[in-house]
Amino acid sequence: MNYPFELKPLDYSYEALEPFVDAATMALHHSKHLNTYVTNLNNALEGQPKFHSWTIEQLASNWDQLPENIATIVRNNGGGVYNHNLFFNLLKKDVAEPTSGPLYDAIVAKFGSMQAFKEDFKAAGLGVFGSGWAWLVADKNGDLLIIKTPNQDVPNLAEFTPVINLDVWEHAYYLKHQNRRPEYIDSLLKVIDWQKAEANYVNK
Ligand code: MN
């Protein structure tokens, strides 16, 4: 996906994740919040044809190579586009948690069990102060790691492949859960598309 970037449509309806993620939050999150990141990114790059061939991954990772007057805008909004495209694509209702397979094996090897992983991942999401993301990433050896990023920063994509990401900005949950981030994370963990997560892991 290169310039101009577009608001990537969801492959499910805003209601599709009810009751775990409510339709009003999905609509606002996708059509307003993500759309704003797309618009701001396009506006920042408008007079910068040199960077129009860059992918969203390149922009989100290498924003520090951009002219100083747009670097921070691209960091925040390019990261916002990359993070949300990954996140929305990873959500699906009624996908059973894995009980075998390469991702399951790697999770058990690292965290002990699926349950233990979910507890550690939730703790990471709760540990993000203010706005940011929790991530399950794989390194080049296939070892898994839970990390956190502030704001719309992305992990070091040269080193890590994102497997699952979790938006813990208040805009992701405030309408339904108000300040109850733990409750939101519990709900979100019920709509992870584990098949796509495994594909992310296998294709690292
Ligand atoms: Mn968000």
Side-chain angles (χ1 to χ4, degrees):
M1 179 162 133
N2 301 326
Y3 189 88
F5 295 94
E6 291 175 357
L7 179 65
K8 192 169 178 280
L10 302 180
D11 60 8
Y12 49 84
S13 71
Y14 291 144
E15 297 80 24
L17 304 174
E18 290 269 11
F20 304 107
V21 185
D22 60 296
T25 294
M26 280 305 305
L28 191 70
H29 202 172
H30 179 260
S31 73
K32 302 296 183 190
H33 288 285
L34 175 53
N35 195 49
T36 299
Y37 296 126
V38 171
T39 302
N40 290 345
L41 177 64
N42 284 337
N43 288 345
L45 294 172
E46 190 175 4
Q48 305 285 345
K50 188 178 158 190
F51 302 104
H52 288 182
S53 62
W54 283 30
T55 64
I56 192 65
E57 288 82 0
Q58 287 175 296
L59 289 164
S61 301
N62 302 309
W63 53 268
D64 55 347
Q65 296 173 28
L66 295 166
E68 199 178 353
N69 62 324
I70 61 166
T72 299
I73 301 172
V74 171
R75 176 184 193 171
N76 291 334
N77 293 279
V81 173
Y82 175 84
N83 293 341
H84 285 88
N85 284 348
L86 188 76
F87 176 66
F88 288 141
N89 188 49
L90 264 167
L91 303 182
K92 190 176 184 182
K93 207 162 79 170
D94 300 328
V95 178
E97 281 178 22
T99 53
S100 64
L103 178 58
Y104 175 82
D105 291 344
I107 285 175
V108 171
K110 176 75 183 194
F111 304 101
S113 67
M114 285 295 295
Q115 186 58 36
F117 158 68
K118 288 193 290 182
E119 286 167 13
D120 287 359
F121 194 63
K122 179 178 177 180
L126 294 176
V128 174
F129 181 77
S131 298
W133 295 75
W135 301 79
L136 177 68
V137 298
D139 69 15
K140 298 297 176 200
N141 299 320
D143 291 333
L144 294 170
L145 198 66
I146 293 173
I147 62 174
K148 299 178 277 190
T149 57
N151 304 310
Q152 293 296 352
D153 285 359
V154 302
N156 180 346
L157 298 177
E159 191 177 353
F160 299 119
T161 300
V163 177
I164 297 172
N165 65 346
L166 171 67
D167 189 347
V168 293
W169 282 59
E170 282 188 345
H171 70 219
Y173 61 88
Y174 202 82
L175 278 185
K176 178 173 180 181
H177 300 284
Q178 287 86 48
N179 61 325
R180 300 185 299 276
R181 192 188 286 186
E183 185 183 284
Y184 156 72
I185 296 175
D186 287 340
S187 287
L188 215 284
L189 285 171
K190 293 180 177 134
V191 290
I192 300 294
D193 186 337
W194 290 100
Q195 292 177 356
K196 282 187 180 157
E198 180 161 278
N200 288 342
Y201 177 69
V202 171
N203 296 330
K204 66 188 172 295

